[in-house]
Amino acid sequence: MIQSTAMPRLGGAARREAKRTSRAAVQPARPWLHTRASGLALILALLVLWEASARLGWVQSQSWPPFSAVLAAAWRGFTDGELSLPLLSSLGRMLAGYAIGCSLGVAVGLLLGGNRWIRYLVLPVLEVIRPIPIPAIVPPLILFLGIDDALKIFVVALASFVPALINTMAGVLGVDDVLLQTARTFRTGWTRTMLRVVLPATLPAIASGLRVAIGLALVVTIVAEMIAGSAGLGYYIVQMQYALRPDAMYAAVLCLALTGYTLNRLFLLGEARLIPWMGRG
Amino acid sequence: MRDRLLARLLGLLGIAAVLGAWELAGRTGALNPVLVPRPSLVGQTLWHILSSGEFLGPLGHTLLLFATGYGLACLLGIVLGLLMGFSPALYGLFEPLVELIRPLPKSALVPALFLFLGIGPATMVTVVVLAAVFPVLINTLQGVRGIDPVLLDTARTFQCSRLRTLLAVVLPAAMPMILAGMRVGLGLGLVLVILAEMLAGESGLGYLILDLQRSFQIREMYAWIAILAAVGGSLALLFDWTDKRLVPWRGRA
């Protein structure tokens, strides 16, 4: 998971770009609903099929509750707190780890991008650690940190740290030389150049890194909670699997999907507000 | 050239410094030797595992599951991506479904799949497919949609058949994007197969690492993590190497 840091950024940016252009060029005024009517119908049909297969007993399985039961379980879980409390605790740990990991990642990324020698020295160490899939880091960390909040916050911080760092560094390295030379012409000091020239020019890259990181952070929170469960939504999902309460489990998965989607949307909104020069590099 | 050599040297120095500091901290007792055995001891264990051929079983198990799932995901993603990119009707049909499933954290689906498919290779492969298919699919789609219309018009001018246009024009033009998606899928697939093995608790690298931790065989655990890191690293390197040879035209679009 850590390996795939710079790529989604590229893909994401290119994707949005391509979407914008292709929409503008190919289908100027076709309403959104019109082009997707068949697709929405397909989703509806699948849901109906799900409901019918469970209700009419086409699928004879303990683990195949009808869709309406999942919705009911989600509603129950939210009103009595069985689902909303683990969600909130997961989100709290995720945000704590995310904040720590991203601030460190951006700081170290600026440092590595700004100084060649430090980069040569530190980057290979990072390259050795990077290919380890995140779940494999959890067991040794359990030895040090136990299975409570500290572990999850640390793992999330570690997972967010890497994309934040890599993207920040790439952003710094990609800063237009003319900008730097202009700053030098005006005899701007190093700190001032970093803060007033390099940082704003790097912000779009940093933002992409932070967005990759927020997606990762949610996944990693859930993964850590599943492997070293003591609380949270990941633990809840595994518990419901063991308890043979598939409706509650699917409800949790559903709620997680919504959370992931919302986080991504919020991030994009914030990005557009805070960095209006994004994508105009 | 000299600069690159110097960079390499500094890099090795950095790694050596970390290992050296770790070894020293272990010897002086600054690090708990039970929780973090010295690198020299882990190295010995690692050598033992490697030389006895012990690593082949779990590694082969994991890699086989991963390769099957990853291969299926790439095939599915590319085919579906090409179709959706080519046909507006299919795009309209599948796009909402894809957008619905894509934001799901795939790790959350692992317990659901255990319930539904049971614990076994079928579930593991499905998990990898689910993790890797979306980056491939999305990138293929965007690669196809981002094709210069002049290329397509040229193909039409020469009366190329649809199949020929697809194979000779669309696929090569979309290849850099497709490979970028496959690279993302590679990392995700590996993460998910390890997670699934940890949760299913039967066999494979993920199961082994968690099991060694629980039975407090710490040195072995670190050795296996090192093996896993080497596998992940080599897969990524292998991919990049192939990528360079497959699409030498990358970035020159």
Side-chain angles (χ1 to χ4, degrees):
Chain A
M1 180 169 295
I2 311 191
Q3 297 168 359
S4 53
T5 43
M7 285 314 195
R9 175 175 78 91
L10 274 178
R15 192 184 315 148
R16 257 174 288 141
E17 192 53 41
K19 225 177 202 168
R20 216 174 293 144
T21 46
S22 71
R23 245 186 223 154
V26 182
Q27 24 185 256
R30 258 172 124 189
W32 186 90
L33 200 64
H34 186 81
T35 44
R36 283 164 180 78
S38 60
L40 295 175
L42 177 68
I43 292 178
L44 207 64
L46 286 176
L47 288 180
V48 168
L49 190 69
W50 178 358
E51 183 75 24
S53 60
R55 288 247 177 253
L56 304 176
W58 298 340
V59 179
Q60 287 287 358
S61 170
Q62 279 284 313
S63 52
W64 195 242
F67 182 62
S68 54
V70 174
L71 286 182
W75 175 250
R76 252 197 334 268
F78 260 97
T79 44
D80 68 8
E82 191 187 308
L83 190 58
S84 43
L85 292 179
L87 175 68
L88 284 179
S89 79
S90 287
L91 277 180
R93 277 187 292 267
M94 183 196 100
L95 289 177
Y98 178 72
I100 297 171
C102 286
S103 15
L104 283 177
V106 170
V108 178
L110 286 175
L111 192 69
L112 291 192
N115 186 312
R116 197 149 62 108
W117 302 111
I118 304 185
R119 185 165 70 243
Y120 289 160
L121 196 65
V122 175
L123 208 56
V125 178
L126 203 71
E127 293 293 339
V128 172
I129 305 174
R130 224 153 74 105
I132 307 178
I134 272 284
I137 300 180
V138 177
L141 286 175
I142 294 177
L143 295 174
F144 295 96
L145 302 169
I147 59 168
D148 288 329
D149 289 1
L151 169 77
K152 282 123 196 182
I153 293 177
F154 187 91
V155 177
V156 174
L158 194 67
S160 328
F161 174 77
V162 178
L165 185 156
I166 298 287
N167 276 287
T168 307
M169 191 183 74
V172 174
L173 292 178
V175 171
D176 192 350
D177 231 18
V178 175
L179 290 180
L180 295 177
Q181 280 161 10
T182 311
R184 196 171 304 155
T185 309
F186 284 104
R187 292 187 176 245
T188 317
W190 186 85
T191 324
R192 209 176 139 79
T193 311
M194 263 326 218
L195 287 179
R196 305 305 288 273
V197 180
V198 175
L199 196 63
T202 314
L203 270 185
I206 295 181
S208 318
L210 297 189
R211 193 155 71 88
V212 174
I214 202 158
L216 272 181
L218 183 65
V219 174
V220 168
T221 312
I222 303 302
V223 166
E225 284 170 354
M226 282 178 168
I227 300 174
S230 60
L233 208 56
Y235 180 58
Y236 179 79
I237 289 177
V238 176
Q239 260 190 327
M240 290 304 111
Q241 179 210 339
Y242 290 142
L244 284 180
R245 280 180 56 196
D247 51 342
M249 186 186 68
Y250 287 117
V253 174
L254 198 68
C255 143
L256 207 53
L258 281 177
T259 312
Y261 186 77
T262 315
L263 281 176
N264 196 32
R265 277 283 128 180
L266 282 178
F267 198 98
L268 283 177
L269 272 179
E271 195 180 82
R273 281 286 149 73
L274 295 176
I275 322 175
W277 63 93
M278 179 107 191
R280 273 191 272 140
Chain B
M1 189 62 215
R2 252 190 75 205
D3 210 41
R4 264 179 69 186
L5 197 71
L6 198 62
R8 284 271 162 78
L9 270 173
L10 265 179
L12 287 178
L13 192 71
I15 296 174
V18 170
L19 286 178
W22 177 2
E23 178 82 27
L24 203 67
R27 282 195 191 274
T28 54
L31 269 178
N32 184 340
V34 180
L35 296 187
V36 198
R38 298 197 309 263
S40 52
L41 295 177
V42 175
Q44 274 174 25
T45 313
L46 181 62
W47 174 247
H48 175 74
I49 294 175
L50 288 179
S51 59
S52 67
E54 236 178 88
F55 68 103
L56 287 173
L59 188 64
H61 182 89
T62 303
L63 278 183
L64 186 67
L65 290 176
F66 170 75
T68 315
Y70 184 63
L72 279 175
C74 289
L75 195 70
L76 198 69
I78 293 174
V79 169
L80 205 56
L82 285 178
L83 287 177
M84 282 172 69
F86 234 42
S87 143
L90 283 176
Y91 179 79
L93 185 63
F94 286 119
E95 199 256 8
L97 191 65
V98 169
E99 286 305 312
L100 190 74
I101 306 178
R102 201 162 64 98
L104 265 177
K106 303 303 170 299
S107 43
L109 287 177
V110 177
L113 287 171
F114 283 155
L115 270 189
F116 199 62
L117 295 173
I119 288 176
T123 315
M124 306 287 181
V125 171
T126 313
V127 168
V128 179
V129 170
L130 274 176
V133 74
F134 287 101
V136 181
L137 171 63
I138 299 291
N139 271 38
T140 309
L141 183 59
Q142 294 311 334
V144 174
R145 303 192 112 204
I147 282 181
D148 189 351
V150 175
L151 289 179
L152 295 178
D153 291 343
T154 312
R156 196 170 306 154
T157 309
F158 284 104
Q159 295 203 314
C160 292
S161 66
R162 281 196 86 148
L163 186 70
R164 202 181 143 87
T165 312
L166 192 72
L167 290 181
V169 179
V170 176
L171 203 58
M175 211 56 194
M177 282 293 276
I178 296 179
L179 283 167
M182 285 171 60
R183 178 75 161 77
V184 176
L186 186 77
L188 289 178
L190 204 58
V191 167
L192 263 284
V193 78
I194 299 296
L195 176 72
E197 284 175 347
M198 283 185 170
L199 293 177
E202 275 196 328
S203 48
L205 278 179
Y207 163 72
L208 199 64
I209 289 172
L210 193 61
D211 192 51
L212 288 171
Q213 185 254 318
R214 286 185 177 150
S215 55
F216 225 70
Q217 293 169 278
I218 305 303
R219 261 189 240 168
E220 284 80 0
M221 178 190 74
Y222 281 108
W224 280 102
I225 292 178
I227 292 176
L228 185 57
V231 170
S234 337
L235 281 178
L237 282 179
L238 187 72
F239 192 97
D240 291 344
W241 187 82
T242 326
D243 180 285
K244 246 184 230 155
R245 270 154 196 75
L246 269 182
V247 280
W249 62 90
R250 181 194 288 289
R252 273 192 271 139

